[in-house]
Amino acid sequence: MEERYDPKTVESKWQICWDENKLFNVKEEPGRAKYYLLEMFPYPSGNIHMGHVRNYTIGDVIARYKRMQGFNVLHPMGWDAFGMPAENAAIANKTHPAQWTYNNIKSMRSQLKRIGFSYDWDREIATCRPEYYRWEQWLFLKLYQKGMVYRKESFVNWCDTCLTVLANEQVEAGMCWRCGKQVQQKKLRQWFFRITDYAEDLLLYCDKLPGWPDKVITMQKNWIGKSIGAEIRFTIENPPDNEDKFISVFTTRQDTVFGATFMCLAPEHPLVTKLSKGMPHENKVKEFVERISMQDRSNRAVEDYEKEGEFTGAYCINPLSNRRMPIYTANFALMEYGTGAVMSVPAHDQRDFDFAKKYGLDIVVVVKPVNEALDVSTMAEAFTGQGIMINSGRFDGMENKKAIEEIASFLEQKGFGGRTVSFRLRDWGISRQRYWGAPIPIVYCSKCGIVPVPEEDLPIVLPENADLLEGGKSPLPTLDYFVKTKCPKCGNSGAKRETDTMDTFVESSWYFERYCSPGCDTEMFDKKAVNYWMPVDQYIGGVEHAILHLLYSRYFTRVLKDLGLIDYKEPFTRMLTQGMVCKETVSCPDHGFLLPDDVEIGDPDWFCKKCGKKVVVGRVEKMSKSKKNVIDPNILLDKYGADVTRLFCLFAAPPERDLEWSNQGVEGGYRFLNRVWNLAVKWMGVIKDVGPFDGNIGELDGTLRDLYKKTHQTIKKVTIDIEKRFHFNTAISAVMELVNVMYGIGHEEKDSNTARVMRFSMESVILLLSPIVPHFTEELWEVMGHRSSIILSSWPTFREDALLKDELEIVVQVNGKLRSRFNINADADNDNIKKVALSDERAKKFINGKPVKRVIVVKKKLVNIVV
């Protein structure tokens, strides 16, 4: 055995061994329990960062642990390779998105292998490959056949810089999440998946995911956003056409309909243009709509805006009060909520109240507090509480909560509307006006209209030799060899292909099924393989994906089930959202944010290495390239090796909490592994050729007995910490404690069991650490004389008799108050415990010679002396 631990030599040796022997490759084994462990696959940016390292290390520990428990573990890796990030990076680096992506995949694969992750690399997939996306094109055709995908014109978030549609979550404070430029509303023809058909079921099953974090469940529920209320139809005075005679609104407060004094339409609502056409306000309305289209239209942003609007010049009629209501377009009305029209009740909604005050609109109270009147002229804010109905015709005097149901019934009787349910969730727009994505398998024919591509013509291959146009525009519309085609239906040679590509979320909504049979070329996936491996037992990823990715994946799973391809509804049984990796920022007055290598750390001041000036140490926050508070994993790997890097990521914090970077923590991990290595060097000559102790614990005395018991206690704690809570930090701490006890055993011990107990404890330490620091433990396991990889060994088990305590700590109370403690043999009976308690010197001081009325012993834990 080498005297010194050399990470580079050890890690290279075992990575070659694992790769050559394909130790992590698996296949279906009916009758054997499976465990599917999956981390969210990365976008191939070119370099892994510490967030990747932490995420994948957490998953790797669980995969290795489950494998040692006897499970057939599937642990794959692949690449979320399509999308705007690759295009933008390619533009910035003056290269092609395909070349950029494939080079990055090669680089990142090498980096991941260097860290020792136990992936089955034979299952590797890249979503930009035709053999992958042909099957989502196939699925698109199936959905089209069933009417579950459609095309329509709609307003979308549009980034003029990135030249594509953005999801609401990709708009941050009105800016594009990728380029930071202003986002506007733009009307485009888009393809949509009918995810709203599954809204109720998606919501229902949120309560059937006990393995998911509460915060993620809450985020899913809020995004689906179910509201129970009523639809009310307001007749338009002088309607613009025969189709638009009514404005339908959704409200959860139909009890206030008599107080509706004006109508507000979202600026994107199609009626805004129709109603204002030819009116004196037409130009003002147009200018208002254009200005609002440049704002962040997310619900969160709109809440913060000053309420403003523009009168369209049109009116509608309140069906219950017969009031003539002016129709405005307002910035607080959103197309994505309800119908995009708001029945404005200023007396009972603060938003409407502010708007009415600003524009001098009528305010009518229809719900008043019990035993209190409201004067509109003195109201400083809307009344939103419960109360009694007034100014509401036949419903006057009724409690407003009761009136909600009564008015809903009345609306139904009169044909003015009725009870309904609304969801915040909208159908999924999948069209992207970008090049680097999966082509949509649709042809447009001047004679036949929209025609789906025949299945036998799939895949529609993205031409990877096409160059991006100036400004990053997609070249697809300009490529005659791609666009021009024959109509599959009538043979018209003037037909054209769809040049939009699919949202990259489509690729990530089913990749976990493809991993089950990545080589399958006759169908989307092998059903037998999927039925064996799916659903994923443990999914791991960032909370930033808690809404769209998870929701779309759940939707896709339901679609596949309805198509008869799978027999389950939920793709992920358990979900773990790991915390972020954080570090303090450091900035120089001359050079701005500094990388860690550009900082000279003094005591107490820090200085810029570039100019020598004192720097400002900022708050600890998420590592980001822009703020340069990043640590390059390659530097850690070069200096300390993969196992120390893994150890630090696991020891610094529980996985669900943010990890604060610490150079001292990394050094501490390095010292610990060397401490274990040195202990092995010290004892190897004594323990190598003996078997581990497995006899009667009664044969052991003193420190050997204590060590043996401590080892079993550690096995139990580490097992529970990994199995129940994924608290790897406390598991590592427990092993550290055990190593400390082992250092207390000397070679001079004369007990014949010393070598055997030390052998048992050393093997236990190695086995317990093996999922965490696999290269290090493989080497020690081999040195101990084992011929097969440690990954093929079983997880250690503990003996219940070794967990029994030799002594018990007894708490002593006098008249219910804690007065003392003492230790006693575990086999002592209650009489002996009482006797020792009564003779305890500290307890006797509080008894103070008084007669003892009773002595109560509680479960050999507590004695209460009553005087």
Side-chain angles (χ1 to χ4, degrees), residues 26 28 74 76-77 120-126 131-132 135 510-521 523-526 529-530 533:
V26 291
E28 298 80 53
L74 175 58
M77 176 50 67
D120 181 350
W121 284 106
D122 284 359
R123 295 175 182 265
E124 180 183 11
I125 59 175
E131 58 267 25
Y132 182 86
W135 295 111
W510 69 282
Y511 76 106
F512 33 87
E513 268 109 5
R514 187 64 182 174
Y515 276 141
C516 298
S517 54
C520 183
D521 60 2
E523 52 189 335
M524 198 169 185
F525 42 73
D526 182 275
V530 165
W533 290 114

Side-chain angles (χ1 to χ4, degrees), residues 197-412:
D197 288 352
Y198 294 86
E200 188 71 57
D201 196 59
L202 288 165
L203 183 64
L204 175 67
Y205 271 75
C206 282
D207 292 324
K208 299 181 180 182
L209 297 170
W212 285 40
D214 290 342
K215 63 180 178 181
V216 174
I217 292 294
T218 299
M219 292 167 79
Q220 291 266 304
K221 287 182 175 180
N222 290 344
W223 189 255
I224 297 168
K226 182 178 181 180
S227 297
I228 299 173
E231 178 200 14
I232 306 177
R233 291 187 289 276
F234 292 72
T235 302
I236 298 174
E237 188 178 87
N238 301 318
D241 52 47
N242 289 329
E243 294 180 2
D244 299 302
K245 295 181 179 182
F246 303 96
I247 296 176
S248 290
V249 304
F250 171 79
T251 179
T252 59
R253 290 293 308 273
Q254 57 265 32
D255 56 315
T256 65
V257 64
F258 283 89
T261 60
F262 59 96
M263 179 72 67
C264 285
L265 302 178
E268 305 88 355
H269 199 293
L271 276 175
V272 171
T273 301
K274 291 181 179 180
L275 293 175
S276 61
K277 188 174 182 179
M279 295 289 186
H281 300 268
E282 183 177 4
N283 288 334
K284 286 187 176 181
V285 169
K286 185 177 180 181
E287 290 170 5
F288 176 80
V289 169
E290 288 178 354
R291 179 165 59 84
I292 298 302
S293 75
M294 301 299 289
Q295 296 179 352
D296 183 353
R297 298 290 289 150
S298 66
N299 189 55
R300 183 187 304 173
V302 168
E303 285 295 322
D304 295 333
Y305 293 152
E306 179 185 350
K307 307 303 177 279
E308 59 177 326
E310 197 67 49
F311 178 44
T312 64
Y315 292 85
C316 62
I317 306 301
N318 187 316
L320 297 195
S321 70
N322 288 318
R323 171 182 285 272
R324 186 172 183 248
M325 297 166 50
I327 302 172
Y328 280 74
T329 178
N331 65 340
F332 62 83
L334 297 169
M335 278 304 295
E336 67 178 39
Y337 183 78
T339 64
V342 177
M343 169 191 90
S344 294
V345 186
H348 305 292
D349 182 280
Q350 189 60 42
R351 215 175 32 177
D352 299 342
F353 183 89
D354 294 340
F355 194 88
K357 285 289 188 180
K358 182 173 182 175
Y359 294 100
L361 299 168
D362 291 345
I363 300 175
V364 177
V365 175
V366 293
V367 180
K368 75 175 191 69
V370 179
N371 300 322
E372 183 183 344
L374 291 176
D375 185 349
V376 170
S377 64
T378 60
M379 286 177 68
E381 61 183 6
F383 173 67
T384 57
Q386 303 298 320
I388 304 299
M389 302 287 289
I390 61 172
N391 299 322
S392 299
R394 64 190 290 175
F395 303 100
D396 282 356
M398 187 180 294
E399 290 182 359
N400 77 298
K401 288 184 74 172
K402 182 179 180 183
I404 288 175
E405 284 300 310
E406 293 293 325
I407 290 177
S409 297
F410 186 73
L411 290 167
E412 290 172 346

Side-chain angles (χ1 to χ4, degrees), residues 65-103:
Y65 165 76
K66 287 294 183 180
R67 196 172 270 119
M68 293 175 73
Q69 284 196 317
F71 287 91
N72 192 21
V73 176
L74 175 58
H75 189 204
M77 176 50 67
W79 314 99
D80 191 9
F82 266 147
M84 196 163 60
E87 281 195 23
N88 289 346
I91 293 168
N93 290 275
K94 294 181 173 56
T95 185
H96 191 280
Q99 182 181 352
W100 171 262
T101 299
Y102 294 130
N103 287 344

Side-chain angles (χ1 to χ4, degrees), residues 46 57 103 115 182 265 275 337 361 443 469 485 508 618 649 682 689 755 761 766 785:
T57 299
N103 287 344
I115 304 174
Q182 182 76 46
L265 302 178
L275 293 175
Y337 183 78
L361 299 168
V443 169
L469 303 182
T485 188
S508 61
C649 288
K682 175 182 176 182
D689 297 323
S761 296
I766 296 170

Side-chain angles (χ1 to χ4, degrees), residues 526-537:
D526 182 275
K527 294 178 185 177
K528 288 184 179 179
V530 165
N531 285 335
Y532 176 79
W533 290 114
M534 288 292 293
V536 174
D537 295 281

